[in-house]
Amino acid sequence: MRIAWFSPLPPTRSGIADYSRDVLPFLHKIAAVQPFASAAAIAAYPAQRWQFDIPIYHIGNSPHHADIYAMLQQHPGIVVLHDVVLHHFMAAQAYGRELSYAHGTAGLAHWHGHPPPDPFAQPLNRRVLDLALGVIVHSAWAAAHVRRTHPALPLTIIPMPIPLPKSAAEPPRHALTFGAIGQITPAKQIDLCLTAFAQFAHQSPHPAYFSLIGEAAGVDVPALIARRGNVTWHGYIDDYTQFETAVGTIDIMLNLRNPTAGETSAAALRALA
C-alpha cells in the first residue's frame, strides 16, 4: 500500500509531530509511506496523488494543520482526529464560514457575537468529518462523539502508541519532585497545580520541588512562579533524550484538563512510560 502521510514532523513543536516521529518507523515496515509536512510538499501533492492509494490527514486543534486541512478539502482521505474540539484551529481559518457550516443560522448569529460561541461546547469539526472517508481516533470517548454526529462514517480506535524510554532515569531520593509536562495552556490549570503544590510543600517534612517542562501558550508562567518557591520552568526541551531524562526525575505528574478538547494526552502517556 502507498500512503500519503499529512502531518507535522519534528522539529515542529507539536505533540502530533512527535506522534508521527514515533509511528512512521513501524509503518514503513508494512507500507510505502511518504510524509507531507512542509507547505511546499503539501502544495505539490495534487500532481503526485495518483502515485498513492490513500491520503491520511492528521488533524489537531493547532495552527500547524492549516495546509493539511486545505488539502483535505481538495482531496478527501482518512482523517486521524487527534482533538475532538477544533474550534480554536477553525477560528484562525475562515471562521464565519466554519460557524455557518456547522451551525447554520445559529452559527452566523455567533459570528456576529449574539451570543459569542463557546469554543469547547461547539467543536467545529463537522466539515472535517463530512470530508473524511474514514476516521481514526485514540479513545472510546472520541469515538462516541464521532458516532453521535456521523454514525455511518467508518471509524476505528487506535490507542496512541508511546515508546518506552531508552533508559529509565532515577529520581533523586532526598526529595519529592512534582511536575507538569507539555504545552502550558490555560486548560492545564497550572496555577491550581502550583497552589496545591505550595500547600503540600509547606506541610511536608521533606524537600519538595516542582518541574515545569514545556513552552507557554496563553499563560504568563514567569508571573505564576515568581511568587512561589522551589518551582523550575525548563521551557521547551528540543532534544528528546534530554526530555525523557527530565521527565524521569519527576515522582508525581499533574496533568489536568479543564475544559477539555477531547484530546488523548500524550504528556500523560509519556509520563506513564
Side-chain angles (χ1 to χ4, degrees):
M1 175 171 283
R2 297 160 300 175
I3 298 172
W5 184 268
F6 292 84
S7 172
L9 290 174
T12 300
R13 296 183 177 185
S14 157
I16 296 172
D18 295 337
Y19 168 92
S20 284
R21 175 202 58 214
D22 293 339
V23 168
L24 281 173
F26 297 95
L27 196 57
H28 278 303
K29 295 178 181 180
I30 60 172
V33 186
Q34 180 173 330
F36 290 82
S38 69
I42 293 170
Y45 171 71
Q48 308 170 40
R49 68 187 188 278
W50 304 115
Q51 302 174 25
F52 301 96
D53 296 301
I54 193 72
I56 297 181
Y57 297 97
H58 293 264
I59 300 295
N61 194 28
S62 84
H64 299 302
H65 301 269
D67 294 319
I68 296 171
Y69 178 52
M71 191 54 61
L72 169 66
Q73 294 177 71
Q74 295 181 46
H75 302 287
I78 294 173
V79 168
V80 183
L81 189 66
H82 291 271
D83 301 300
V84 168
V85 173
L86 300 176
H87 198 123
H88 307 80
F89 166 68
M90 292 300 180
Q93 309 304 309
Y95 193 31
R97 186 185 71 171
E98 297 296 342
L99 280 169
S100 61
Y101 185 93
H103 301 291
T105 55
L108 288 175
H110 286 312
W111 172 240
H112 293 287
H114 306 294
D118 181 341
F120 289 96
Q122 299 171 349
L124 285 193
N125 59 22
R126 179 179 170 185
R127 192 190 300 272
V128 168
L129 296 177
D130 284 353
L131 289 167
L133 303 180
V135 174
I136 296 169
V137 294
H138 300 309
S139 70
W141 188 95
H145 177 92
V146 172
R147 288 191 178 108
R148 278 197 298 272
T149 59
H150 292 71
L153 183 62
L155 172 70
T156 190
I157 301 170
I158 301 179
M160 184 179 292
I162 298 293
L164 292 174
K166 293 181 177 64
S167 61
E170 190 69 20
R173 292 302 168 204
H174 64 282
L176 192 63
T177 301
F178 293 75
I181 66 175
Q183 191 178 55
I184 302 170
T185 65
K188 300 288 183 67
Q189 302 289 320
I190 296 301
D191 191 22
L192 182 62
C193 293
L194 293 178
T195 298
F197 164 73
Q199 293 174 359
F200 172 86
H202 178 70
Q203 300 172 16
S204 174
H206 304 291
Y209 301 93
F210 200 105
S211 181
L212 273 173
I213 301 173
E215 62 183 344
V219 177
D220 187 352
V221 176
L224 282 183
I225 67 177
R227 60 182 186 271
R228 295 182 169 98
N230 292 354
V231 179
T232 302
W233 181 29
H234 299 276
Y236 183 84
I237 300 177
D238 289 288
D239 184 272
Y240 190 65
T241 300
Q242 292 179 8
F243 169 80
E244 286 185 326
T245 300
V247 172
T249 64
I250 296 172
D251 298 293
I252 298 175
M253 191 72 67
L254 301 178
N255 189 52
L256 306 184
R257 292 292 191 285
N258 184 33
T260 176
E263 69 273 48
T264 293
S265 173
L269 294 175
R270 293 191 190 282
L272 288 169

